[in-house]
C-alpha cells in the first residue's frame, strides 16, 4: 500500500506542538515535525495519526485551516494566576470536557424526570460573613460543629461529606487520571479541583492525585463555591490568603472553619503542652482528621505561629506528598477504585435511565469510563440496579 502524504497547515503543526511536550512525542517524531515546519518534508497520514495519539489532540483538529479556539470558560475562574493554566494541559482540558458531558447528561435527566432544582446552589450569593456561610452549610448538610469525630482519618471524613453532598443532589466526581487512561495522570500542581455551578446538576470534580487531606480541603472549598454560586478552578497548593480574589479568601476561610472550627481549635491548641510546634501541628491534624497544612493555616491566621513556620510546614507537606507518590504502588482493588471515581447519585440515575430505555448501555459505559464487563459490578457497588 503506497504511503499517503497529507497537507497539514504549518500553523496547525506549531499549535499542536505547543499543546504537548517533546518528551511525550519522542525523538523521531520531533525530528519529523521540525522537517514539516521547515518545508523539507511532508507528513504522512500515519505520522499525523501518531502525533494525534501521543499529544491527545483529536485527529480532526490537524486537518483544520487554522488552530481551533477552544472555549473553556472554567479557566477564567482559576484561584491563582499561573503559567500552568495560561496554557492548560490536554489532560485538564479533556477532564473538563468529560465533566461537562456528565453534567449535561444529569441536567437533561433531572429535567426529563421532573426533579426540582438544587436549592442550595447560589443560596449564599453576596454573603461574605465566614460564620454565616459556615453555619448555613453545616445546617444544609446536617453537620454538627465537631462532625469529624465520627471519622477515623481524612479519607473517612471525605467520604462522609461526599455522601452528604450526594444526598443534596450535588454530583461529586474524582479521578487522578484522564478517564481510564493510566498514562495520562492529572497534575496536582496544575489543579486540585473544580466546581461547575448549575441549579439542576451542580458538579464538583476532585483531582484524585492529591493527598487525602488535600482532597478533603478541596471538597469543602468547592462546596463554598456552589453555595455562593460561582464556578471555580482550584489550583492553590499553599492555602493562600494573599494575592487571590476576595471570593477565594472567603472560600478558604470557610473551608478551614468547617474542617477546624476556630473555637475548638483554640481550645485544643492552648491546651496542648507540646513544646515542639511541628509536632503539635501533627497532633492536631490527627485530632481534626485533616492535613497539617490546614492546621498550620489556622494557626497562622490565629497568630499562633509565624509565616516562617507556616512556610516550612507547607514545604514539608509538598515534599512528603512527592515522596509518597514515588513510593506508591499501582495496585489496588479495581472495582473499589472505579467506584471511588464516580458519584453514586449519578450512577443510580444512569441505571434508572438505562432500565427505562432512555440511555443506551454504550452511552452509560462512556459516561462512567467502564466497559460491558465492568459497568454492572461498579454500578451495583454504588446502589445501581439493572433489570
Amino acid at each position: 500500500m503506497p504511503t499517503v502524504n497529507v497537507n497539514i497547515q504549518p500553523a496547525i503543526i506549531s499549535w499542536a506542538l505547543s499543546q504537548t511536550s517533546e518528551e511525550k512525542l519522542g525523538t523521531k517524531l520531533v525530528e519529523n515535525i521540525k522537517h514539516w515546519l521547515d518545508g523539507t518534508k511532508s507528513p504522512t497520514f500515519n505520522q499525523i495519526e501518531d502525533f494525534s495519539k501521543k499529544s491527545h489532540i483529536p485527529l480532526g483538529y490537524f486537518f483544520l485551516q487554522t488552530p481551533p479556539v477552544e472555549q473553556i470558560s472554567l479557566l477564567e475562574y482559576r484561584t491563582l494566576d499561573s503559567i500552568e493554566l495560561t496554557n492548560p494541559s490536554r489532560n485538564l482540558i479533556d477532564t473538563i470536557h468529560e465533566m461537562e458531558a456528565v453534567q449535561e447528561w444529569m441536567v437533561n435527566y433531572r429535567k426529563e424526570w421532573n426533579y426540582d432544582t438544587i436549592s442550595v446552589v447560589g443560596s449564599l450569593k453576596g454573603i461574605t460573613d465566614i460564620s454565616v456561610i459556615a453555619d448555613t452549610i453545616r445546617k444544609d448538610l446536617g453537620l454538627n460543629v465537631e462532625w469529624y469525630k465520627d471519622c477515623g482519618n481524612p479519607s473517612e471524613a471525605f467520604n462522609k461529606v461526599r455522601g452528604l453532598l450526594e444526598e443534596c443532589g450535588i454530583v461529586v466526581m474524582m479521578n487522578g487520571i484522564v478517564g481510564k487512561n493510566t498514562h495520562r495522570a492529572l497534575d496536582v500542581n496544575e489543579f486540585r479541583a473544580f466546581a461547575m455551578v448549575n441549579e439542576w446538576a451542580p458538579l464538583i470534580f476532585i483531582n484524585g492525585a492529591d493527598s487525602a487531606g488535600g482532597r478533603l480541603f478541596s471538597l469543602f472549598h468547592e462546596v463554598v463555591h456552589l453555595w455562593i454560586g460561582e464556578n471555580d478552578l482550584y489550583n492553590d497548593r499553599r492555602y493562600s490568603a494573599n494575592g487571590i480574589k476576595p471570593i477565594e479568601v472567603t472560600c478558604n476561610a470557610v473551608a478551614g472553619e468547617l474542617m477546624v472550627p476556630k473555637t475548638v481549635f483554640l481550645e485544643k491548641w492552648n491546651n496542648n503542652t507540646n513544646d515542639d510546634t511541628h509536632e503539635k501541628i501533627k497532633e492536631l491534624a490527627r485530632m481534626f482528621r485533616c492535613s497539617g497544612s490546614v492546621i498550620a493555616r489556622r494557626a497562622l491566621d490565629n497568630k499562633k505561629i509565624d509565616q516562617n513556620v507556616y512556610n516550612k510546614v507547607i514545604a514539608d507537606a509538598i515534599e512528603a506528598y512527592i515522596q509518597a507518590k514515588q513510593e506508591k504502588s499501582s495496585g489496588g482493588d479495581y472495582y473499589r477504585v472505579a467506584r471511588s471515581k464516580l458519584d453514586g447519585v449519578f450512577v443510580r440515575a444512569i441505571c434508572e435511565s438505562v432500565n427505562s430505555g432512555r440511555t443506551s448501555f454504550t452511552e452509560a459505559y462512556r459516561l462512567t469510563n467502564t466497559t460491558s464487563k465492568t459497568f454492572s459490578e461498579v454500578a451495583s457497588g454504588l446502589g445501581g440496579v439493572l433489570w
Side-chain angles (χ1 to χ4, degrees):
M1 184 176 179
T3 300
V4 178
N5 289 93
V6 290
N7 181 27
I8 306 296
Q9 296 298 321
I12 295 292
I13 296 175
S14 296
W15 170 81
L17 186 60
S18 73
Q19 298 293 299
T20 186
S21 64
E22 294 188 359
E23 290 79 5
K24 292 181 180 179
L25 300 178
T27 304
K28 183 177 180 180
L29 181 54
V30 170
E31 284 300 313
N32 282 329
I33 290 172
K34 290 178 180 177
H35 289 306
W36 302 340
L37 288 173
D38 66 22
T40 57
K41 288 184 179 180
S42 295
T44 66
F45 180 83
N46 287 343
Q47 287 173 329
I48 291 300
E49 190 174 42
D50 183 44
F51 194 177
S52 170
K53 290 179 179 177
K54 289 179 177 177
S55 64
H56 305 296
I57 295 172
L59 182 61
Y61 282 12
F62 287 88
F63 296 91
L64 298 174
Q65 292 301 303
T66 57
V69 178
E70 296 180 286
Q71 299 296 331
I72 308 172
S73 60
L74 197 62
L75 296 179
E76 301 173 11
Y77 296 94
R78 58 182 180 267
T79 303
L80 297 174
D81 290 331
S82 64
I83 295 174
E84 289 88 349
L85 287 181
T86 300
N87 296 296
S89 70
R90 292 307 312 179
N91 289 349
L92 173 56
I93 290 172
D94 290 348
T95 298
I96 291 173
H97 288 329
E98 184 181 342
M99 290 304 106
E100 287 174 339
V102 168
Q103 186 177 62
E104 181 181 10
W105 186 92
M106 200 65 176
V107 168
N108 291 334
Y109 166 83
R110 284 179 168 163
K111 286 182 176 180
E112 186 177 4
W113 289 76
N114 296 316
Y115 276 68
D116 292 329
T117 56
I118 311 301
S119 61
V120 298
V121 177
S123 61
L124 297 177
K125 189 175 185 64
I127 305 298
T128 58
D129 187 292
I130 306 303
S131 297
V132 170
I133 298 174
D135 288 344
T136 302
I137 291 174
R138 286 193 189 105
K139 180 181 178 181
D140 289 340
L141 292 181
L143 285 173
N144 60 44
V145 173
E146 297 184 80
W147 63 273
Y148 46 83
K149 286 185 174 181
D150 297 330
C151 308
N153 54 49
S155 293
E156 287 187 16
F158 178 91
N159 290 335
K160 177 182 177 68
V161 176
R162 184 180 190 179
L164 294 173
L165 290 169
E166 287 183 1
E167 290 178 16
C168 282
I170 294 168
V171 177
V172 181
M173 305 287 280
M174 179 171 69
N175 207 342
I177 58 177
V178 179
K180 53 186 175 182
N181 189 336
T182 56
H183 299 292
R184 299 184 65 187
L186 299 179
D187 185 359
V188 74
N189 290 308
E190 183 175 35
F191 81 105
R192 304 180 71 172
F194 56 78
M196 299 163 58
V197 174
N198 182 285
E199 63 178 351
W200 292 96
L203 184 147
I204 293 173
F205 179 86
I206 301 294
N207 187 340
D210 206 349
S211 64
R215 292 195 294 268
L216 178 59
F217 187 89
S218 295
L219 183 62
F220 273 121
H221 181 95
E222 302 302 21
V223 163
V224 184
H225 269 279
L226 292 185
W227 261 250
I228 290 176
E230 182 172 311
N231 294 336
D232 181 51
L233 180 55
Y234 184 48
N235 65 320
D236 177 13
R237 292 196 70 187
R238 296 181 175 274
Y239 306 94
S240 303
N242 300 314
I244 58 178
K245 293 178 289 187
I247 188 174
E248 299 303 331
V249 175
T250 298
C251 291
N252 279 346
V254 175
E257 175 62 24
L258 290 169
M259 293 174 66
V260 185
K262 180 177 179 178
T263 54
V264 183
F265 166 75
L266 290 175
E267 176 191 347
K268 301 300 182 183
W269 182 276
N270 293 333
N271 290 339
N272 188 303
T273 57
N274 197 323
D275 293 330
D276 187 326
T277 301
H278 291 276
E279 286 302 314
K280 180 184 290 192
I281 288 172
K282 291 178 182 178
E283 290 172 12
L284 265 66
R286 288 192 291 271
M287 184 180 303
F288 287 97
R289 317 309 192 246
C290 66
S291 68
S293 300
V294 173
I295 297 296
R297 182 74 249 177
R298 297 299 272 163
L300 179 65
D301 291 342
N302 287 282
K303 299 180 171 51
K304 296 298 182 180
I305 62 173
D306 61 25
Q307 188 68 47
N308 290 332
V309 172
Y310 175 76
N311 291 343
K312 180 67 166 59
V313 172
I314 295 296
D316 288 347
I318 292 175
E319 183 178 347
Y321 165 82
I322 295 171
Q323 184 66 30
K325 291 290 287 184
Q326 293 173 343
E327 296 174 354
K328 185 177 181 181
S329 67
S330 59
D333 182 329
Y334 170 81
Y335 291 108
R336 180 187 62 79
V337 173
R339 287 192 294 270
S340 73
K341 298 175 181 180
L342 298 167
D343 178 85
V345 171
F346 171 61
V347 170
R348 292 190 289 276
I350 284 183
C351 289
E352 188 175 7
S353 188
V354 168
N355 291 335
S356 68
R358 289 176 169 85
T359 296
S360 68
F361 276 101
T362 300
E363 179 74 351
Y365 305 152
R366 183 184 69 82
L367 288 166
T368 57
N369 288 310
T370 57
T371 65
S372 58
K373 294 181 179 180
T374 61
F375 176 69
S376 179
E377 183 71 24
V378 170
S380 64
L382 290 168
V385 178
L386 293 170
W387 299 340

